[in-house]
Amino acid sequence: RQTVDGGLHEALRMQRPALAVGLDHGKLPGGRVEHGIVARRGQEADPFPGGLLVFGVGQHGGAFVPEGGPASAAPTGGPPLPWLDKLEEWASIALLLVVLVAVSVQVIARYVLHAPLFWGGELARYTYVWMAFLAGAFVTGRRGHVRIDLLDAILPPRALKWLECFANFAVGCICLAVVVFSFDWLLGTARPKSPALRMPMIFLYGGVWLSFALMALHSFVTFYLVATDRVPATPPNAETY
């Protein structure tokens, strides 16, 4: 990718009459440009055969976008599984709201009505566990976990790509091992019940088990997409999602 300023935009407009340069806020044949200046092919000699040259504005980068649809486009940095990303996001938000309501009701009942609820604290704790692990799977899908990137500026692109593949494959294997080897233990938690809610404990631990399964899925999908150059090796910034 390359970023150009207004001076280069003007130079293209003045020196390349074969290119129609203008703002484009919609979809392009090879992808989507939110804010960008697009140099389209003209009738004369084409300095950018086979597609569009997209120049970024401000902090947005530019890229050459091939013709032929998304399959031939440059790698994008969005969530690998958008539908699952949205599901995890909204589920995490809903669980956070449940925690907020449960804690608020417990505080009011204890200090205003002087009649504390025996189940309020337990509901808040268990919901917080679900939210934390599900949000962990959500962040894994967005490749947003805390990472040490000391080697990113040292390694060549090809080595960085395979390092990212190794990291995602290792995380996926570890999460998958947790899912496989904890399944029998998980089934053993179906009979015990929680003290206040009388909820089978498998629902509490099952949320953790499901989150590890989702993290394994996200890691293996990211491994495949990075290995096949469908997404960049370096995770994009959060605001790109």
Side-chain angles (χ1 to χ4, degrees):
R1 292 191 173 192
Q2 68 180 106
T3 303
V4 295
D5 57 14
L8 185 53
H9 297 164
E10 187 63 26
L12 279 172
R13 182 181 288 108
M14 297 297 294
Q15 299 177 11
R16 300 284 188 182
L19 299 177
V21 182
L23 291 177
D24 189 304
H25 298 281
K27 287 189 176 180
L28 301 177
R32 178 177 178 82
V33 175
E34 295 293 343
H35 302 285
I37 290 183
V38 179
R40 296 186 180 276
R41 290 197 299 176
Q43 300 298 325
E44 302 177 14
D46 184 9
F48 312 112
L52 306 175
L53 184 64
V54 182
F55 297 96
V57 177
Q59 296 180 350
H60 297 272
F64 177 75
V65 182
E67 292 180 347
S72 62
T76 58
L81 301 173
W83 61 272
L84 185 57
D85 175 84
K86 285 298 181 183
L87 180 62
E88 292 169 344
E89 181 179 20
W90 285 106
S92 300
I93 293 174
L95 291 172
L96 177 61
L97 291 177
V98 173
V99 173
L100 178 63
V101 171
V103 172
S104 300
V105 170
Q106 179 73 345
V107 169
I108 293 174
R110 178 181 295 274
Y111 295 103
V112 177
L113 303 178
H114 302 290
L117 303 174
F118 67 93
W119 50 264
E122 187 174 285
L123 176 62
R125 289 194 302 272
Y126 290 175
T127 307
Y128 186 83
V129 171
W130 292 332
M131 180 201 68
F133 279 91
L134 185 59
F138 166 69
V139 176
T140 302
R142 293 198 172 193
R143 304 170 68 188
H145 277 295
V146 175
R147 54 187 284 132
I148 300 175
D149 55 359
L150 294 177
L151 298 178
D152 289 10
I154 302 175
L155 294 177
R158 185 174 180 84
L160 183 61
K161 166 189 169 181
W162 291 114
L163 177 63
E164 184 71 14
C165 289
F166 170 77
N168 282 279
F169 186 76
V171 171
C173 289
I174 293 173
C175 292
L176 184 61
V178 172
V179 170
V180 172
F181 292 108
S182 66
F183 185 71
D184 291 338
W185 174 84
L186 178 67
L187 295 180
T189 63
R191 285 183 174 274
K193 299 182 183 298
S194 63
L197 295 174
R198 305 303 299 165
M199 176 189 72
M201 296 302 293
I202 191 172
F203 290 109
L204 172 64
Y205 300 120
V208 179
W209 183 88
L210 177 61
S211 298
F212 272 98
L214 292 174
M215 284 188 275
L217 173 63
H218 284 306
S219 298
F220 286 131
V221 169
T222 302
F223 162 77
Y224 169 75
L225 295 178
V226 172
T228 56
D229 295 319
R230 296 173 185 266
V231 297
T234 304
N237 295 328
E239 65 265 16
T240 60
Y241 290 117

